């Protein structure tokens, strides 16, 4: 009877330990839901199923400076959450050894709804996108062999890779898939504008904001399309060429003459927080951006046709139009996204 009593007493303890351990090692699937006002996602989830541990691993990689050659410059170094994961205030982003690039870091938000990445569309697959900054000599200057060796000697990484991937291997493919999972879930969809579009509480736009939205739809939405605010195309928007850099844009990828000085149309999400603007960060205010479109467009062979109407360059915008447009653009700020602890390092 004493033995039987002892077994019955200990069973709950064994069950408790087993239960806790199973929860710790559980890799719960994430059901990705597209916001009702968004276009479809552009990703093969079957090839990289989203899971809680996959997101956790991707997040750890995103914030880990040890991936860089100097042990400091992580992905998050140039992509800061409170600035919509961009390098706010830096005209050109800089990396290891204070090396200076030639482009402004793009925000990382709603990537899963886009069809190409980087200012010149150097990659069209989200899994492959991190390779570019990771291996760039002026960004992270990382080395896959070194990164893999580091992770293999890190107990947390070893555990997470085993939880996330069926083969449990710490390799470049799984590393990139995990980073993709983190980026996929960086969805900004709860701005005042989103709530207006979905007829939710907090979505009442003012008269000025509504008038700005009407002007936007008339004069801007052909390029900054859908509620993602980009049509994923490449366009020459008439910026004067910076002779010190002479960035040829999309031409660097395609080598087609018609792609000279064309850059990817950026999303306008959280635009209030992502200055400076343009691929080279030349404008520090939204007012300066609108001034460019109204009076600063320079003609060239590849200038977008929408900016040249029978020899009249740019977009006609009055001072009132600009003020109303800026009021509307500020409704795209998603403070929930910018402050969500789920996406932060700590």
């Amino acid at each position: 009877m004493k033995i039987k009593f002892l077994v019955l007493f200990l069973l709950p303890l064994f069950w408790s330990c087993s239960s806790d351990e199973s929860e710790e090692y559980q890799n719960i699937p994430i059901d990705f839901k597209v916001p009702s006002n968004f276009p479809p996602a552009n990703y093969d989830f079957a090839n990289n199923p989203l899971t809680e541990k996959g997101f956790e691993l991707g997040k750890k990689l995103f914030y880990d400076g040890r991936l860089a050659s100097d042990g400091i410059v992580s992905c998050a170094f140039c992509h800061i959450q409170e600035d919509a994961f961009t390098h706010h205030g830096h005209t050109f982003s800089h990396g290891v050894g204070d090396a200076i690039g030639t482009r402004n870091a793009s925000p990382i938000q709603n990537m899963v709804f886009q069809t190409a990445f980087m200012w010149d569309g150097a990659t069209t697959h989200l899994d492959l996108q991190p390779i570019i900054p990771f291996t760039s000599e002026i960004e992270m200057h990382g080395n896959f062999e070194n990164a893999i060796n580091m992770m293999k000697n890190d107990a947390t990484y070893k555990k997470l890779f085993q939880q996330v991937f069926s083969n449990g291997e710490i390799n470049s493919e799984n590393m990139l898939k995990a980073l993709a999972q983190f980026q996929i879930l960086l969805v900004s969809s709860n701005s005042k504008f989103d709530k207006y579009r979905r007829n939710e509480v907090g979505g009442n736009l003012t008269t000025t904001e509504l008038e700005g939205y009407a002007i936007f739809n008339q004069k801007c939405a052909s390029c900054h399309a859908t509620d993602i605010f980009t049509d994923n195309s490449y366009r020459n928007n008439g910026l004067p060429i910076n002779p010190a850099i002479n960035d040829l844009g999309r031409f660097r990828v395609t080598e087609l003459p018609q792609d000279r000085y064309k850059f990817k149309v950026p999303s306008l999400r959280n635009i209030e927080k992502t200055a400076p603007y343009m691929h080279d960060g030349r404008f520090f205010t939204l007012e300066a951006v609108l001034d460019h479109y109204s009076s600063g467009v320079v003609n060239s062979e590849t200038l977008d046709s929408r900016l040249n109407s029978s020899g009249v360059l740019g977009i006609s915008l009055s001072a009132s139009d600009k003020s109303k447009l800026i009021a509307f653009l500020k409704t795209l700020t998603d403070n929930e996204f910018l402050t969500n602890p789920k996406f932060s390092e700590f």
Side-chain angles (χ1 to χ4, degrees), residues 13-25:
L13 296 180
F14 286 126
W15 176 257
S16 176
C17 293
S18 174
S19 176
D20 289 345
E21 185 177 28
S22 65
E23 283 183 17
E24 182 184 357
Y25 279 86

Side-chain angles (χ1 to χ4, degrees), residues 28-325:
I28 301 170
I30 295 175
D31 182 19
F32 184 80
K33 296 186 184 300
V34 176
S36 62
N37 58 316
F38 276 28
N42 179 52
Y43 192 80
D44 180 11
F45 291 102
N47 189 51
N48 187 20
L50 296 182
T51 64
E52 290 189 359
K53 293 297 182 182
F55 171 83
E56 182 181 337
L57 174 56
K59 177 178 171 178
K60 180 174 173 61
L61 289 163
F62 186 83
Y63 283 102
D64 196 341
R66 293 178 298 170
L67 296 177
S69 61
D70 65 354
I72 298 171
V73 178
S74 64
C75 301
F77 183 83
C78 287
H79 299 283
I80 303 164
Q81 181 184 5
E82 65 188 31
D83 304 314
F85 292 95
T86 191
H87 211 184
H88 176 72
H90 294 269
T91 299
F92 299 133
S93 296
H94 54 87
V96 297
D98 286 327
I100 306 296
T102 58
R103 292 177 179 172
N104 181 255
S106 299
I108 298 180
Q109 52 184 348
N110 299 333
M111 303 282 276
V112 72
F113 302 102
Q114 300 183 38
T115 58
F117 310 99
M118 317 301 288
W119 280 106
D120 54 15
T123 181
T124 58
H125 201 300
L126 192 54
D127 290 8
L128 304 180
Q129 181 275 330
I131 295 175
I132 298 171
F134 174 66
T135 59
S136 168
E137 292 183 2
I138 57 175
E139 294 187 59
M140 297 177 71
H141 200 193
N143 175 286
F144 277 111
E145 183 178 355
N146 293 342
I148 289 166
N149 286 335
M150 178 274 290
M151 291 185 287
K152 285 182 176 179
N153 287 291
D154 183 293
T156 303
Y157 272 126
K158 288 196 289 186
K159 179 179 176 181
L160 282 170
F161 273 94
Q162 290 171 358
Q163 290 174 308
V164 176
F165 300 104
S166 58
N167 58 18
E169 292 183 10
I170 298 177
N171 56 33
S172 58
E173 179 184 358
N174 288 344
M175 168 185 163
L176 293 169
K177 282 185 173 182
L179 277 167
Q181 290 201 35
F182 178 72
Q183 292 187 86
I184 286 167
L185 290 171
L186 294 179
V187 175
S188 176
S189 63
N190 284 307
S191 66
K192 183 178 181 180
F193 172 77
D194 291 304
K195 293 170 184 177
Y196 163 77
R197 289 281 286 158
R198 298 193 295 256
N199 196 28
E200 295 174 356
V201 174
N204 294 325
L205 300 189
T206 67
T207 299
T208 300
E209 291 165 349
L210 286 169
E211 290 174 350
Y213 185 33
I215 295 167
F216 178 87
N217 283 328
Q218 180 186 359
K219 301 188 177 186
C220 312
S222 58
C223 297
H224 296 286
T226 76
D227 284 1
I228 300 300
F229 292 93
T230 177
D231 64 354
N232 292 296
S233 67
Y234 308 92
R235 300 178 187 272
N236 176 347
N237 66 346
L239 290 173
I241 296 170
N242 183 336
I245 300 168
N246 194 28
D247 192 335
L248 298 175
R250 179 70 172 158
F251 177 83
R252 288 171 52 174
V253 175
T254 67
E255 297 187 349
L256 298 173
Q258 62 266 34
D259 284 334
R260 287 179 181 270
Y261 307 114
K262 290 185 177 181
F263 296 87
K264 187 173 184 290
V265 175
S267 170
L268 301 180
R269 288 270 168 180
N270 295 298
I271 194 73
E272 179 186 11
K273 303 293 185 180
T274 60
Y277 307 109
M278 305 299 176
H279 68 277
D280 57 5
R282 68 176 68 191
F283 299 131
F284 277 78
T285 66
L286 291 172
E287 288 82 358
V289 171
L290 296 181
D291 286 345
H292 161 72
Y293 282 114
S294 65
S295 59
V297 170
V298 173
N299 199 7
S300 68
E301 290 183 3
T302 61
L303 177 67
D304 192 87
S305 60
R306 292 168 175 80
L307 297 175
N308 187 347
S309 178
S310 302
V312 178
L313 302 180
I315 301 171
S316 176
L317 294 169
S318 67
S320 176
D321 289 340
K322 294 174 186 178
S323 177
K324 291 173 182 177
L325 272 172

